[in-house]
Amino acid sequence: MAGTAGLSRRQLLGAAGALSLIGGPARAQHAMHDHAGAAHSADMSPTMGMVPEAAVPAMDQPLVEPEVRRSVNGVLSTTLRCAYAYRQIGGVRLYVRSYEGGSPGPTLRMKPGETLRIKLINDLPPNRDGLPADISHPHQFNNTNFHFHGAHASPSGIADNVMRSMAPGHSYNIEIALPADHTSGTYWYHPHHHGSADIQMSSGMVGALIVEGDFAGVPEITTARERLLVLTQVVHDANGMIENFETLFPETATRFLAINGQRRPVIEMRPGEVQRWRILNAAYQDDMLLDLEKHDLHAIAYDGIQLGAVQKLKQLLIAPGQRADILVKAGGPGTYALNAAPYDQGHPSPVGPLARIVVSGAPMEMKLPGALPAAPLASIKDTEITNRRKVVLSATAPEADAAGHWQEFGFFIDGKKFDPGRIDQRVKLGAVEEWTIVNTHEHDDHVFHIHTNPFQVVSVNGKALAVPEWRDSVIVERKGGQVVFRSRFLDFTGVYMLHCHMMNHEEMGMMQTVEVYKA
């Protein structure tokens, strides 16, 4: 047969297979070409376009922490590029939106009183849709912006302004100055463009932002090895992408859980060693109940704010948006599981392995701190309160909830969906207010978050906390759950957001504007 000299049996079969896929006139023309005796090889590769790739271990690899970028001479100046990237995680090859091609993005480290300057380059492709009539229908997934979650900083201009729209194909400058007395601790950054934030965060567009300097006088903490653990829920469609809201909305959408973009990584410790884990729940939707086999967890800070005493925990419940700084003292040699344990938040939280802790080697005689310095923020007294207000979280659902399409659900604050042109809460600069957050939703807990100023939780479901707790995000339980907190509205005027940090709910309308004004 002309043109087959030197071909192996496998190549001949491959060529025949390729010919069998050519239909109609094209096949006839190909056959005539063969009959004329012209020498050629098959037009299509025997692999049919499939490119073999080296197998990537799905799990049990050493924990890898993101690249670190630090401030220099009082300024952290960097570039963040938003673009699609391939990711290998848990044996799955994804093609999703990212910061700098990674997930999570680079860890940014700066100090109080310093300035963060970012050139954000939006290299995502053009949007394929217009603005919907209802802006609380997810849309225009490639618009973005930048939020420094937990920062006490200006919400206006080019600072921590989540009202900005950063369109594909353009670059934008961001400049956020931290006050000299800003709390030191674990913070993070993520997109906050209404319509696209959920899709982008679930893709892995998240990163840690560390404000350095906490516990400087506590050697048991400063000498401990520091690890960053960014928790995420991994979701994807059949093509390894996240291009439709239907990929995210079902409560069972999570495929598996990850730390630092790895499925069940290995964290190494030596017997008796103390490590400091900065844990960030960057999940787009669900709480996680963390359980470390045969070990206690010792909390020293929440949401970037130091505690005044160590909290010994058997398990740690951490909601989307929250951070917890934990000391772990390793036990004897062995392998221990860090798991997300079952938890009911109105629907089952995702469960499964997060990491394996391998304890081996020569023992280290390290101690946990006996005491911590006083908490950095003064407790808010009854006599300081200048105003009280109530905020109600609610939702509607179709009669057959499990069968409902996402468009049949509605999420509201004070009975209204988000409207960026409406001011929902007006607060005078310098006010000290007590807010009661109520969740009337029968089905789900919600995660209340407010920008710019942290708050002090004083009671939950009518029960006063023995020690009021500073937070920027808090779980409000379903079926009438209530959280009462107090907050000082200091330093910055402008418009910013309060919302549910279960980002499916925020994207579908559970957000309000807050305007702080100077009289």
Side-chain angles (χ1 to χ4, degrees), residues 83-358:
Y84 275 90
Y86 285 102
R87 291 174 55 203
Q88 286 280 2
I89 177 171
V92 183
R93 189 172 192 246
L94 305 182
Y95 186 61
V96 287
R97 299 163 180 85
S98 73
Y99 286 126
E100 299 289 280
S103 175
T107 298
L108 308 179
R109 298 187 72 112
M110 58 189 299
K111 298 178 178 64
E114 295 188 331
T115 298
L116 174 64
R117 289 186 186 138
I118 295 173
K119 180 181 181 182
L120 189 142
I121 303 169
N122 188 348
D123 271 347
L124 294 169
N127 292 300
R128 299 175 67 90
D129 60 334
L131 195 66
D134 182 352
I135 65 161
S136 288
H137 280 189
H139 59 275
Q140 296 184 324
F141 297 151
N142 294 329
N143 291 342
T144 194
N145 59 22
F146 182 91
H147 176 44
F148 185 155
H149 182 120
H152 180 58
S154 172
S156 304
I158 64 169
D160 189 31
N161 184 352
V162 300
M163 300 290 274
R164 297 178 75 186
S165 186
M166 301 179 181
H170 299 275
S171 299
Y172 300 85
N173 291 322
I174 299 160
E175 183 168 316
I176 302 173
L178 295 185
D181 61 352
H182 196 284
T183 47
S184 296
T186 305
Y187 297 88
W188 65 302
Y189 64 91
H190 61 81
H192 209 300
H193 195 287
H194 189 62
S196 64
D198 195 13
I199 289 282
Q200 293 176 9
M201 290 173 62
S202 63
S203 298
M205 285 181 64
V206 299
L209 213 164
I210 310 301
V211 182
E212 298 177 332
D214 60 356
F215 300 110
V218 185
E220 295 91 344
I221 297 176
T222 57
T223 58
R225 183 178 181 184
E226 187 175 302
R227 311 302 298 259
L228 173 66
L229 280 61
V230 180
L231 313 181
T232 55
Q233 298 170 256
V234 177
V235 292
H236 57 83
D237 64 17
N239 299 312
M241 301 178 74
I242 307 173
E243 297 301 308
N244 294 289
F245 194 64
E246 286 86 348
T247 305
L248 305 181
F249 186 77
E251 291 167 351
T252 55
T254 299
R255 305 300 183 103
F256 55 87
L257 301 174
I259 295 182
N260 295 357
Q262 298 173 269
R263 185 173 187 179
R264 201 175 73 181
V266 172
I267 300 173
E268 295 184 347
M269 300 184 72
R270 287 164 58 182
E273 179 186 5
V274 174
Q275 290 188 1
R276 175 183 181 167
W277 293 358
R278 295 184 184 266
I279 302 176
L280 156 61
N281 187 356
Y284 73 96
Q285 173 69 6
D286 290 309
D287 304 337
M288 296 188 202
L289 181 62
L290 306 187
D291 182 281
L292 178 54
E293 183 182 7
K294 297 181 180 179
H295 287 73
D296 292 325
L297 305 173
H298 304 269
I300 57 173
Y302 291 128
D303 290 358
I305 302 170
Q306 297 175 213
L307 296 174
V310 177
Q311 289 185 8
K312 184 178 178 180
L313 307 170
K314 292 296 182 183
Q315 294 178 312
L316 170 68
L317 178 63
I318 186 166
Q322 290 185 331
R323 290 86 65 212
D325 286 55
I326 302 294
L327 298 180
V328 175
K329 183 176 173 64
T335 298
Y336 305 92
L338 175 63
N339 290 323
Y343 181 73
D344 180 9
Q345 59 183 80
H347 59 272
S349 295
V351 299
L354 281 165
R356 298 173 72 202
I357 315 305
V358 176

Side-chain angles (χ1 to χ4, degrees), residues 246-504:
E246 286 86 348
T247 305
L248 305 181
F249 186 77
E251 291 167 351
T252 55
T254 299
R255 305 300 183 103
F256 55 87
L257 301 174
I259 295 182
N260 295 357
Q262 298 173 269
R263 185 173 187 179
R264 201 175 73 181
V266 172
I267 300 173
E268 295 184 347
M269 300 184 72
R270 287 164 58 182
E273 179 186 5
V274 174
Q275 290 188 1
R276 175 183 181 167
W277 293 358
R278 295 184 184 266
I279 302 176
L280 156 61
N281 187 356
Y284 73 96
Q285 173 69 6
D286 290 309
D287 304 337
M288 296 188 202
L289 181 62
L290 306 187
D291 182 281
L292 178 54
E293 183 182 7
K294 297 181 180 179
H295 287 73
D296 292 325
L297 305 173
H298 304 269
I300 57 173
Y302 291 128
D303 290 358
I305 302 170
Q306 297 175 213
L307 296 174
V310 177
Q311 289 185 8
K312 184 178 178 180
L313 307 170
K314 292 296 182 183
Q315 294 178 312
L316 170 68
L317 178 63
I318 186 166
Q322 290 185 331
R323 290 86 65 212
D325 286 55
I326 302 294
L327 298 180
V328 175
K329 183 176 173 64
T335 298
Y336 305 92
L338 175 63
N339 290 323
Y343 181 73
D344 180 9
Q345 59 183 80
H347 59 272
S349 295
V351 299
L354 281 165
R356 298 173 72 202
I357 315 305
V358 176
V359 180
S360 64
M364 298 180 72
E365 294 303 323
M366 297 180 69
K367 295 181 179 180
L368 295 164
L372 298 181
L377 300 177
S379 189
I380 298 177
K381 301 175 183 178
D382 295 351
T383 54
E384 291 184 65
I385 304 300
T386 60
N387 187 42
R388 288 177 170 85
R389 65 184 76 204
K390 181 179 178 181
V391 174
V392 179
L393 312 178
S394 65
T396 58
E399 183 176 353
D401 191 315
H405 187 271
W406 66 264
Q407 291 180 336
E408 299 177 76
F409 294 77
F411 293 88
F412 311 91
I413 300 181
D414 295 334
K416 297 173 286 189
K417 284 188 176 183
F418 175 62
D419 180 350
R422 181 186 69 226
I423 299 298
D424 297 295
Q425 310 287 344
R426 295 193 78 239
V427 183
K428 184 178 177 181
L429 181 66
V432 182
E433 297 200 352
E434 181 176 275
W435 290 28
T436 300
I437 314 300
V438 181
N439 179 8
T440 63
H441 190 185
E442 289 291 309
H443 190 278
D444 284 327
D445 297 351
H446 291 291
V447 182
F448 177 90
H449 170 60
I450 189 168
H451 297 191
T452 306
N453 295 286
F455 51 80
Q456 188 177 34
V457 178
V458 296
S459 76
V460 176
N461 297 335
K463 184 177 180 180
L465 272 61
V467 179
E469 197 169 276
W470 285 95
R471 290 282 196 174
D472 62 43
S473 305
V474 65
I475 295 170
V476 188
E477 294 180 1
R478 60 197 179 278
K479 299 181 179 179
Q482 295 190 16
V483 170
V484 178
F485 68 74
R486 295 171 174 180
S487 185
R488 300 182 178 99
F489 292 82
L490 302 175
D491 301 323
F492 302 107
T493 59
V495 176
Y496 53 86
M497 303 297 151
L498 64 84
H499 61 93
C500 178
H501 222 289
M502 300 166 75
M503 295 303 291
N504 283 354

